[in-house]
Amino acid sequence: MVSHLYRISTIIVKYFLLLYAVVGESGNYQDNSTTAIRMTPDFTVIYKSSGLKVYKRKTLDNKLEFVTVVNTNKAKVKHLTGNLSKSNHNKIYKKSLTEFWQDEKKIDDNAQQLKVITNGTYFSTKNNPTGVAFGLKIPGRRPIYGYGVSKEYIGQIRTLSWNNKTAVSFIQTYMVQTFRISQNVVGGLDITANKSAREYLPRTFVGVMDQDNDGLTETIVFYSGNYTRQIDASTTLKHFGVKSSMMLDGGGSTGLILEGQSLIHTNRTLPHALAIYSITNQ
């Protein structure tokens, strides 16, 4: 009897180990096939720079989709925020995406050049300064662990972490340790979390991939769409070769600026955005 139970338990353990290896820590299916860019035929390249390509697809009903592919060996992703509240470091004053662009462009230089700004993390739209829902870690600042972690989307919170020096990025299940050991972290949601999943809304997703097949996920891929479902956004990223992805804030927060031009416009003010720089001194 004991031997029989042992064999059953061994089979169960092996099953879950196999499931973990296939699904991965992020909860998304991990495809072990080639990770070269495999864009769908109706996407076209509209912009190229060092470490950066922007793809566009437009339908007859004016549905716009953009995919921004960032190789962090030749480009970098940087947090942008409004001013921190003096009374509460967990709260941030909001700015428009255009203000983020204008302010960041003032410190542009020859070594690194600002190319793209996209909206970032989830937040409370009711307050200013506002809290961050699922966490934020910016170099030189204390981590913000997120006001919604213990009460919203339990088990479906994810983080994107990256290091611009080592050019490695990860998407994984939310863990406090990530905020303690990683330089850059932004919280989001698993692609299966129901954020009006079947409705056609503006969406912002992000994924990571190993484009050069060296075992390191050096490429960060952003999806920005003005009228799409969650499944459409995640499927598009998979077509581009992304292995693991998550949702950033969407709806009225979705916005995208390329070289000062608003490709997807938002009137909403935001506490956080992500800037993409091409590195030109290599």
Side-chain angles (χ1 to χ4, degrees), residues 63 196-203 226-229 232:
K63 174 183 175 182
S196 302
R198 297 182 180 181
E199 294 184 26
Y200 286 88
L201 298 170
R203 309 276 183 184
N226 71 339
Y227 187 73
T228 189
R229 300 170 301 173
D232 302 324

Side-chain angles (χ1 to χ4, degrees), residues 155-183:
Q156 295 182 304
I157 303 173
R158 306 288 178 254
T159 56
L160 166 70
S161 59
W162 72 95
N163 188 315
N164 285 314
K165 292 183 179 180
T166 61
V168 178
S169 54
F170 300 96
I171 289 178
Q172 56 192 351
T173 299
Y174 181 102
M175 296 181 292
V176 170
Q177 292 90 329
T178 302
F179 292 83
R180 294 172 178 168
I181 65 176
S182 300
Q183 284 193 337

Side-chain angles (χ1 to χ4, degrees), residues 33 94 99 140 142 163 167-168 178 258 276:
S33 59
K94 296 183 283 189
E99 288 175 317
R142 287 185 292 172
N163 188 315
V168 178
T178 302
L258 171 63
I276 301 167

Side-chain angles (χ1 to χ4, degrees), residues 10-207:
T10 301
I11 291 171
I12 292 173
V13 170
K14 288 182 177 179
Y15 170 79
F16 279 105
L17 287 173
L18 177 61
L19 182 65
Y20 181 85
V22 173
V23 173
E25 191 172 19
S26 69
N28 298 330
Y29 178 78
Q30 303 294 298
D31 181 1
N32 292 321
S33 59
T34 178
T35 54
I37 294 296
R38 306 190 303 266
M39 66 174 183
T40 54
D42 43 355
F43 271 94
T44 57
V45 178
I46 62 169
Y47 186 81
K48 292 182 182 181
S49 185
S50 176
L52 172 67
K53 284 185 180 180
V54 180
Y55 299 80
K56 177 183 178 181
R57 176 164 65 183
K58 182 179 180 180
T59 64
L60 294 176
D61 57 356
N62 206 34
K63 174 183 175 182
L64 293 172
E65 294 176 288
F66 298 93
V67 174
T68 303
V69 180
V70 186
N71 184 326
T72 56
N73 285 305
K74 300 178 181 178
K76 77 173 188 177
V77 179
K78 176 184 175 183
H79 295 282
L80 303 178
T81 67
N83 293 327
L84 291 179
S85 168
K86 293 182 179 179
S87 59
N88 185 344
H89 89 280
N90 289 320
K91 293 191 174 183
I92 306 171
Y93 285 96
K94 296 183 283 189
K95 299 166 62 171
S96 70
L97 215 57
T98 300
E99 288 175 317
F100 277 123
W101 176 272
Q102 292 171 345
D103 291 346
E104 192 67 10
K105 196 64 179 175
K106 293 175 184 177
I107 59 175
D108 216 349
D109 59 38
N110 292 328
Q112 55 183 29
Q113 297 179 354
L114 178 63
K115 301 298 183 181
V116 174
I117 288 181
T118 181
N119 64 293
T121 196
Y122 291 90
F123 63 97
S124 170
T125 58
K126 298 178 181 179
N127 303 314
N128 193 24
T130 183
V132 170
F134 306 122
L136 196 62
K137 169 70 178 297
I138 298 174
R141 294 187 186 177
R142 287 185 292 172
I144 299 174
Y145 293 108
Y147 64 78
V149 171
S150 61
K151 56 186 179 181
E152 299 179 32
Y153 298 96
I154 305 301
Q156 295 182 304
I157 303 173
R158 306 288 178 254
T159 56
L160 166 70
S161 59
W162 72 95
N163 188 315
N164 285 314
K165 292 183 179 180
T166 61
V168 178
S169 54
F170 300 96
I171 289 178
Q172 56 192 351
T173 299
Y174 181 102
M175 296 181 292
V176 170
Q177 292 90 329
T178 302
F179 292 83
R180 294 172 178 168
I181 65 176
S182 300
Q183 284 193 337
N184 300 278
V185 184
V186 55
L189 291 174
D190 189 84
I191 59 174
T192 62
N194 187 2
K195 294 290 289 183
S196 302
R198 297 182 180 181
E199 294 184 26
Y200 286 88
L201 298 170
R203 309 276 183 184
T204 306
F205 277 47
V206 62

